[in-house]
Amino acid sequence: MVLKVFFPSCCSSADSGILIGRWISEQNSAVILAVVHFPFIPVQVKQYLGEVQRVTKVSVSVLGSWSNSKQEKEESLSEFLEDLGTIFCHEPWIQISKEGDSKFWSCSILQKHSKNPQEEEIILVYYDQRKVMLSHLHPPLDTAGQGAEDASKLSAIFDTVARSQILFMTDRYDEGPIKLTHWQSDGVEASIIVELLKQASVPACMLLTFLLSLLSGICRSRVLKFWPLSFLWSKLSTCEQLGHRLQHLQVISSNKKAQNQNQLMRKANIFVSLLIDVALGILLMSWLYRKNRIGHLADTLIPVADHVAEELQDLLQWLMGAPAGLKMNRALDQVLGRFFLYHIHLWISYIHLLSPFIEMILWYVGLSACLGLTVALCILSDIIALLTFHIYCFYVYGARLYCLKIYGLSSLWRLFRGKKWNVLRQRVDSCSYDLDQLFIGTLLFTILLFLLPTTALYYLVFTLLRLLVVIVQGLIHLLVDLIDSLPLYSLILRLCRSYRLAAGVKFRVLEQQDGKPLRLLMQINPLSYGGVVQTYRLPTYSCYPRDSWASLCKKLFLGELIYPWKHKGDKQN
């Protein structure tokens, strides 16, 4: 059998005493947590360990003795250390000693109550107590078999040190009957600023929770469920982002304590994401209101809209002629061209009607950047959708007309083959048609077939324009999703204190000599940056559709509409 003793490196220079820790019988391992110095009273030590067990729910006990003398070990001290095993009654009793300035330690096991004592090989593993206590172990997700068993064994070591935090809250300056040596024995780590923020955060969170509950009640009121407001709330990405940020504020202002490390990291990631988002939004707002950039932007917007309208008029004039040398149906081409030209004329009139108010609208829109950069980007996406509404109308008209002809041709093609679509059974059944039905079907099929190229050309042109707008909006929403979902706090923690996010451990051999225990150093392997993003990535509302290329091509061929938002019944990615 191999006995593993995990010894904190901070106790290597501690004075002689007894070893306090946890014995893990399943792994035949001992996790040393602290050293109690001489002199002490055994009854007080047992009472202290009983209180620690009651608070931490960790079976902490006296595991053995520790001897650190700069001179050779005396025989009386050796006998006294062996006699401690009869007082505290732990099996096996571990004796670790460091003699003089020797770099090799001696470690022995006493089994007084065992009938058949066996000689065990001892491995002494040093670990950094502070890093192990503050770190959170992330075992690989694809572990199976032996890998999963090793991960569970390692988690027991990390969990023992993390749950024994109350044991490390006493230092050498405390006036008490028991003196301990651990990683905080020289002084408990604390920050006055952090403590003040903790005290001030309680009333601030209570006030914020009240305001958010009031705002949530207003948002859930029946007034917003009526048609105009409910339609705007479901279609505008700004409303979706505001609702998403409202949920984030409710999470971080909740007075419920985090149940585990993942919930704590989620709250920290949301808090840092909100801070950085608001900071970037304030920077954008200060840049917009400096040097009258809002006025310059308003003066540029109208000429750009006029230029886009003129380009569309030139495109329609080109389509009404002989585009690329193609011979189109003259009557249908003229009707469609004049119909779209009339819409462009209405759009130009609408833009010039709003031109006196555009600067004021942009001025108030710029103030929304104080809510965060993501809110400003969502407003930009909605403005693009409003400014290109005429392109969306052109696309809808062309898609509906093209879709009508495609489904008409497919239905008439089934008529030629003696088939029909059964609406009740949702399948194609055989059917017999008379001569008049076949004659009318032939005439309609011929008309639709010869009108299809003209309709398809208009549909293709306006679909490309629509895809250009959708791509721009998609890039904006991807940036919003990146800011919302990126675990910034975890990434900063991985950069500054990588041991806090542990993916595993590695062991380095320190010394090895015959007759002496093997000494290893346990080092923490940090989680990779990709693993940090995958583990702590925040969920987003994903208002932008993520169709596959095959699904998108199918929609384009059949003339189905492409929306820049998700419907309520769609699956969230």
Side-chain angles (χ1 to χ4, degrees), residues 79 81 101 139 177 219 248 258 315 325 363 376 381 420 439 483 495 543:
E79 294 177 357
L81 294 176
D101 296 330
C219 294
H248 282 176
L315 178 63
W363 195 87
S381 176
K420 74 170 184 177
F439 178 72
I483 298 175
L495 182 63
C543 70

Side-chain angles (χ1 to χ4, degrees), residues 264-319:
L264 182 63
M265 293 292 290
R266 182 172 181 267
K267 280 190 173 183
N269 285 322
I270 291 175
F271 181 72
V272 174
S273 177
L274 280 173
L275 283 182
I276 295 180
D277 187 20
V278 172
L280 293 176
I282 292 175
L283 287 177
L284 176 63
M285 185 176 63
S286 63
W287 180 82
L288 286 175
Y289 288 97
R290 193 179 302 165
K291 297 181 181 179
N292 195 24
R293 290 190 174 91
I294 293 287
H296 296 319
L297 183 62
D299 295 338
T300 309
L301 194 60
I302 299 300
V304 169
D306 290 339
H307 178 71
V308 171
E310 291 176 1
E311 293 294 332
L312 286 176
Q313 287 178 343
D314 295 339
L315 178 63
L316 287 174
Q317 293 292 343
W318 178 70
L319 290 175

